[in-house]
């Protein structure tokens, strides 16, 4: 296996490579495979930031690697916000001066990292701060993997869960996302079942994700979370402009395909927006849509963003909505927002930083 082309493709960045790839890398550069295993340990267990700091490697080789332009590929933390519920939001800088948001959401038993897959987002969902800023580019593998290591460092504990629910549409960066899942799973100890990939859906991309995951990872045990947010096509198009080219019936058919390829039930995310999609008739229509399909509905309360007039749903409306789904036999849960006092909505921190 020749590792050099892979490294050239990613500007000679090592973060994101597997143990086998790092061994092959060391051998190709005239070192023993053991040296590759040492780099692996420093990358993923010690979270090293530059090659020169890997004191286990011969100094001459470290210098040679740096001269040849190899780097670890860590991002720089430029801002940290800590909410009263201990949710931590980090703004990380990439080499080309872009900013990436990532969030650590702790409970006693869990530390969930909310990961971004792109800088900005092209989907333009009306209720989302990231969508308002437009799309810059997709993230490379190391820029995705770094987010988990940065949260681990900032919070001083090992993340247990990963959700691809930060900036960007993961299915528009499917190769890097699958590579990052492999890395989280094999190199950073996050079981696939503790990883969630969230999408608003793109024509044909959902079955393709299932097939690619089986081909590249050998299994697809992560959770697919589909952002539905409306029980019918008309309302969905108003909230998610890209839904115009992807009818809700096709989306549901693709989710059924996903279930039959992977055997994994799909989660449907539904942001409750006060007086927009939170009425009882919406709950009944949602039950009609997903009823009888092996799935789970996650209700989320909207977090207000600047420049949009959407409101949070009332407490009673949330309860009533959930009750309808339960009565209709739909598996449902309500996820309270975290870090409300610290720009909790995706994309807000980056947006504020840009303004500053
Ligand atoms: S909600 Fe997700 S898909 Fe929609 S604009 Fe925001 S980041 Fe993009």
């Amino acid at each position: 296996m020749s590792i050099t082309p892979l490294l050239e493709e990613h500007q000679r960045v090592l973060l994101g490579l597997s143990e086998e790839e790092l061994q092959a890398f060391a051998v190709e550069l005239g070192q023993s495979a053991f040296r590759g295993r040492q780099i692996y340990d420093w990358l993923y267990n010690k979270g090293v930031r530059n090659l020169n700091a890997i004191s286990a490697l011969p100094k001459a080789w470290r210098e040679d690697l740096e001269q040849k332009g190899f780097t670890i590929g860590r991002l720089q933390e430029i801002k940290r916000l800590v909410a009263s519920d201990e949710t931590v939001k980090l703004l990380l800088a990439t080499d080309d001066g872009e900013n990436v948001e990532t969030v650590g959401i702790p409970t006693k038993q869990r530390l969930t990292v909310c990961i971004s897959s792109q800088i900005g987002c092209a989907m333009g969902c009306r209720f989302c701060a990231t969508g308002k800023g437009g799309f810059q580019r997709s993230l490379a593998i190391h820029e995705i993997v770094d987010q988990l290591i940065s949260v681990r460092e900032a919070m001083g504990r090992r993340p247990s869960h990963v959700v691809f629910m930060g900036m960007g549409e993961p299915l528009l960066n499917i190769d890097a996302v699958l590579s990052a899942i492999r890395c989280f799973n094999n190199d950073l100890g996050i079981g696939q079942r503790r990883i969630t990939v969230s999408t608003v859906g793109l024509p044909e991309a959902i079955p393709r994700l299932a097939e690619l995951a089986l081909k590249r990872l050998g299994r697809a045990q992560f959770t697919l979370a589909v952002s539905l947010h409306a029980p019918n096509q008309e309302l969905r198009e108003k909230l998610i402009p890209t839904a115009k080219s992807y009818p809700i019936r096709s989306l549901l058919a693709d989710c059924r395909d996903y279930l039959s390829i992977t055997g994994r039930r799909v989660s449907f995310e539904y942001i409750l927006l006060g007086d927009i999609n939170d009425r009882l008739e919406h709950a009944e229509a949602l039950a009609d849509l997903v009823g009888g399909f092996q799935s789970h509905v996650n209700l989320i309360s909207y977090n207000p963003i600047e420049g949009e007039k959407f409101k949070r749903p009332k407490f009673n409306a949330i309860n009533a909505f959930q009750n309808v789904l339960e009565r209709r036999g739909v598996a449902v849960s309500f996820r309270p927002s975290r870090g409300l006092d610290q720009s909790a909505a995706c994309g807000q921190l980056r947006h504020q930083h840009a303004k500053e």
Side-chain angles (χ1 to χ4, degrees), residues 226-237:
V226 174
S227 299
L228 206 51
H229 305 328
N232 60 59
Q233 180 65 15
E234 196 190 346
L235 183 52
R236 196 163 189 267
E237 282 181 14

Side-chain angles (χ1 to χ4, degrees), residues 135-179:
F135 172 67
Q136 275 70 47
R137 67 171 173 84
S138 284
L139 292 174
I141 304 160
H142 67 279
E143 294 168 326
I144 300 176
V145 170
D146 179 275
Q147 295 173 51
L148 185 135
I149 300 176
S150 287
V151 169
R152 185 177 74 186
E153 280 171 5
M155 302 187 75
R157 73 188 254 212
R158 293 184 83 85
S160 58
H161 292 71
V162 163
V163 292
F164 281 88
M165 291 186 179
M167 300 192 306
E169 165 50 63
L171 299 197
L172 285 174
N173 191 16
I174 209 164
D175 282 334
V177 165
L178 286 175
S179 297

Side-chain angles (χ1 to χ4, degrees), residues 180-200:
I181 290 175
R182 185 215 58 72
C183 182
F184 291 149
N185 194 199
N186 294 353
D187 310 325
L188 288 157
I190 314 274
Q192 260 205 36
R193 286 174 188 272
R194 296 178 163 206
I195 297 174
T196 297
V197 177
S198 168
T199 178
V200 293

Side-chain angles (χ1 to χ4, degrees), residues 120-125 127-132 166-169 200 229 346:
C121 185
M123 308 305 277
C125 302
F127 46 82
C128 170
T130 299
K132 303 240 163 284
M167 300 192 306
E169 165 50 63
V200 293
H229 305 328
C346 144

